[in-house]
């Protein structure tokens, strides 16, 4: 029975549906994927660091991804980062 639960949990994770990001969230995610810090993004976009952090939290909540490498992978898969082929990352 334990094995079936593990398989069902894995299948649910594989079929996970992400909530769509707003245009601003997409723009912020693109900059996060380019390894900019919240302070750098804030300066570049004329926002407060706190506002950028709020966007980060929304992106994390909508994608269900909380670590930078996961966000990068999400950005590549969704064509938000130039110079990477989406077929390279499964």
């Amino acid at each position: 029975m334990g094995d079936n639960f593990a398989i069902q949990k894995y299948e649910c994770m594989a079929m996970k549906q992400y909530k769509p990001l707003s245009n601003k969230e997409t723009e912020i995610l693109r900059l996060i994927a380019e390894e900019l810090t919240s302070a750098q993004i804030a300066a570049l976009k004329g926002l407060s660091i706190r506002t950028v952090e709020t966007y980060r939290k929304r992106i994390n909540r909508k994608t269900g991804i909380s670590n930078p490498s996961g966000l990068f992978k999400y950005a590549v898969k969704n064509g938000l980062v130039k110079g990477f082929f989406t077929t390279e990352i499964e």
Side-chain angles (χ1 to χ4, degrees):
M1 184 165 172
D3 290 336
N4 287 338
F5 176 74
I7 291 169
Q8 289 173 348
K9 183 176 179 184
Y10 177 77
E11 288 172 352
C12 285
M13 290 172 66
M15 298 182 339
K16 186 175 192 172
Q17 296 293 317
Y18 298 112
K19 295 180 182 176
L21 301 177
S22 70
N23 290 339
K24 194 63 154 185
E25 290 163 346
T26 300
E27 184 179 355
I28 298 297
L29 176 56
R30 187 176 294 122
L31 296 172
I32 292 168
E34 292 179 15
E35 300 184 67
L36 272 68
T37 65
S38 293
Q40 291 169 322
I41 295 169
L44 182 67
K45 294 298 175 183
L47 302 169
S48 73
I49 295 172
R50 186 174 177 121
T51 299
V52 174
E53 289 298 325
T54 298
Y55 279 118
R56 281 182 177 266
K57 288 177 187 174
R58 288 179 187 168
I59 292 165
N60 291 345
R61 187 173 53 244
K62 286 183 175 183
T63 62
I65 302 167
S66 60
N67 62 54
S69 61
L71 288 175
F72 179 78
K73 184 176 176 180
Y74 176 90
V76 170
K77 279 185 165 186
N78 288 281
L80 302 177
V81 181
K82 295 178 183 177
F84 288 90
F85 297 97
T86 57
T87 56
E88 290 179 7
I89 298 179
E90 293 294 322

